[in-house]
Amino acid sequence: VQTSITLPEHTEQWTTADREYMTRALDLASLGVGLVSPGPLVGCVIVNDGAIVGEGFYVFEELKHAETLALAQAGNAARGGTAYVTLEPHAHHGRTPPCTDALIAAGIRKVVCPIVDLNPKVSGKGFEHLRAAGIEVSTGLLAEEASILNEAYLHHMRTGLPFVHLKLAVSLDGKIATRTGDSRWVAGPESRARAHEFRHRYDAILVGAGTVAIDDPLLTDRSVGRRRRPLVRVVLDERLEISSEAQLIRTASDSPVIIFAGLNSDRSKINQLTERGVEVVVSDSRDFKSVLQELERRSIESILVEGGASVAGDIVRSQLLDKVTFFIAPKIVGGRDALSAVGGDGIAKMADALELETFEVTQRGRDIEVTGYPHKQSSS
Ligand SMILES: NC(=O)c1ccc[n+]([C@@H]2O[C@H](COP(=O)([O-])OP(=O)(O)OC[C@H]3O[C@@H](n4cnc5c(N)ncnc54)[C@H](OP(=O)(O)O)[C@@H]3O)[C@@H](O)[C@H]2O)c1
């Protein structure tokens, strides 16, 4: 699978035990999903004499990093041991003291870590600090898995823009709704449950005004997992036509809603929505990059786009799409006027189609999930 960063060279032959410890560290890191953004997911396992003596994972609010938690659990047993950490430990004073200091002070002999942190304050400096203190540092083990786990964080660090994942449910003939606009439900319950897992991983969810008008969705995270920040609900509504009775507006005081409206939007409607707790951003909302920049300014580093066709068309054209998921249901909708998944003008030549560079296919109940990473122009 494509990773967002250049992977370090594999520096040694890994043992089965190394793989197991790093897999455990990655599993621990993923327990922080929903609890770390805008920071990275990090897990740590301390091993000594062939046994796990300490474990930890990062949770933003607890002000303790994975390494510190694992070292505290290990106590004296950390001395002479190996730390398996899923992301480069930081060597600077941030919200917490440097983790490299803690690893050195605890007498760790070796650090196994798959990837560098792309945060410029950390990048490379953590490994340097450990090596300067005489600790052996091995990189590259399960680097692909570690990069995917933090794909949104790493992308944001690399580009300064939020990571964008487009998710749609389509029929076998590529329709996202019938000719009347009915789309409930294209896909089955297993795909819908998976879509809720996605919502839990993202900082924001984005749809077009057409989807709000027809489906009147709530766009909330209904997974069972906890999250430290509410899912921000974003609507692209050039003509600011959203009904004040829409569920999104009625629930705006419970969970944030941001509407991107065009420059000619009606002032009194903006005031009305603002009074209901909605943030209206008046801008050239057709410029998707500027939408992303506005959201990034609000500390949003990842966005799940859930349609509809017009928004999907704009985003595909913008080339600012980082990941896609299509749930393909085994049904045929038909009809010239039934919406196809991706709107806009499309392309003239098949050779210009946006191709997935890497992808995975998974059965979800009766549906098929295709999740992959589009080929990117080198400039993006
Ligand atoms: N199966 C699925 O997964 C799925 C998911 C979502 C929706 N749907 C279905 O899709 C249908 C809605 O799709 P749709 O294509 O009609 O509507 P849409 O993409 O949800 O929204 C279109 C509206 O958004 C505005 N818009 C689009 N891009 C914009 C941008 N960059 N900035 C500002 N405004 C922007 C458009 O303005 P202009 O009119 O000015 O262009 C238009 O008013 C519904 O039937 C819904 O049920 C299906």
Side-chain angles (χ1 to χ4, degrees):
V1 179
Q2 180 198 0
T3 49
S4 50
I5 60 167
T6 310
L7 301 178
E9 290 291 306
H10 285 230
T11 52
E12 60 184 78
Q13 208 55 36
W14 307 107
T15 64
T16 307
D18 284 329
R19 283 177 192 284
E20 281 172 7
Y21 294 137
M22 189 55 80
T23 302
R24 173 69 187 148
L26 289 165
D27 287 346
L28 285 167
S30 66
L31 295 176
V33 170
L35 303 174
V36 299
S37 178
L41 291 161
V42 189
C44 177
V45 170
I46 313 272
V47 175
N48 209 338
D49 263 343
I52 293 180
V53 292
E55 293 187 333
F57 65 95
Y58 176 54
V59 172
F60 186 91
E61 309 290 5
E62 287 176 16
L63 276 173
K64 281 210 173 92
H65 283 187
E67 300 91 319
T68 325
L69 291 165
L71 288 170
Q73 208 180 77
N76 281 339
R79 196 151 296 278
T82 300
Y84 294 82
V85 195
T86 59
L87 187 70
E88 180 179 11
H90 70 122
H92 69 288
H93 284 271
R95 291 193 325 132
T96 66
C99 282
T100 49
D101 282 350
L103 290 161
I104 295 163
I108 288 291
R109 187 185 57 81
K110 178 175 177 179
V111 170
V112 181
C113 180
I115 54 172
V116 292
D117 189 339
L118 296 184
N119 179 347
K121 288 187 198 146
V122 184
S123 199
K125 300 183 184 88
F127 290 153
E128 252 172 54
H129 187 207
L130 294 172
R131 286 191 176 115
I135 294 180
E136 182 187 343
V137 177
S138 286
T139 58
L141 171 64
L142 300 188
E144 206 159 280
E145 289 80 350
S147 302
I148 291 168
L149 181 73
N150 271 314
E151 60 191 0
Y153 168 83
L154 294 169
H155 171 87
H156 177 240
M157 280 296 161
R158 192 166 56 86
T159 63
L161 291 175
F163 184 81
V164 179
H165 182 174
L166 171 67
K167 179 236 104 185
L168 288 169
V170 300
S171 62
L172 266 189
D173 53 336
K175 305 291 190 186
I176 59 166
T178 67
R179 68 183 155 79
T180 63
D182 181 33
S183 67
R184 289 213 165 120
W185 299 103
V186 177
E190 294 83 357
S191 300
R192 299 206 300 275
R194 171 88 169 137
H196 274 281
E197 267 175 45
F198 286 155
R199 284 187 184 182
H200 186 58
R201 291 188 210 165
Y202 285 83
D203 293 338
I205 181 165
L206 181 150
V207 296
T211 298
V212 176
I214 293 177
D215 298 348
D216 193 17
L218 253 182
L219 303 179
T220 46
D221 174 355
R222 297 197 279 279
S223 69
V224 288
R226 284 187 303 132
R227 57 185 305 141
R228 66 172 287 264
R229 303 193 294 178
L231 180 67
V232 177
R233 301 170 296 165
V234 181
V235 182
L236 300 186
D237 189 2
E238 173 92 19
R239 287 173 278 151
L240 199 54
E241 286 180 332
I242 194 165
S243 157
S244 46
E245 288 316 305
Q247 291 206 79
L248 284 178
I249 307 303
R250 287 198 270 123
T251 58
S253 51
D254 307 331
S255 188
V257 175
I258 304 177
I259 299 180
F260 283 84
L263 298 168
N264 298 325
S265 302
D266 176 23
R267 230 327 104 199
S268 65
K269 176 105 185 236
I270 296 176
N271 291 339
Q272 216 182 68
L273 289 168
T274 310
E275 275 166 25
R276 308 269 308 263
V278 175
E279 182 182 1
V280 181
V281 180
V282 177
S283 67
D284 177 5
S285 55
R286 300 241 79 115
D287 174 4
F288 191 59
K289 187 163 184 180
S290 78
V291 169
L292 293 185
Q293 285 165 335
E294 284 289 344
L295 292 173
E296 199 276 335
R297 264 177 232 132
R298 288 158 180 79
S299 189
I300 286 169
E301 72 178 34
S302 62
I303 303 168
L304 182 66
V305 178
E306 290 203 359
S310 160
V311 162
D314 275 9
I315 292 175
V316 167
R317 201 191 52 229
S318 76
Q319 302 246 7
L320 291 163
L321 183 55
D322 302 300
K323 184 171 185 174
V324 296
T325 295
F326 275 55
F327 294 106
I328 305 166
K331 49 179 87 157
I332 295 170
V333 172
R336 241 188 341 264
D337 297 332
L339 275 180
S340 299
V342 180
D345 292 335
I347 44 148
K349 291 199 180 120
M350 193 52 80
D352 295 333
L354 181 68
E355 196 155 345
L356 297 190
E357 195 157 272
T358 55
F359 59 90
E360 267 183 25
V361 179
T362 316
Q363 182 100 32
R364 302 273 170 213
R366 285 171 49 76
D367 306 331
I368 304 224
E369 175 191 335
V370 179
T371 290
Y373 298 85
H375 177 74
K376 290 244 171 171
Q377 307 280 329
S378 48
S379 61
S380 67

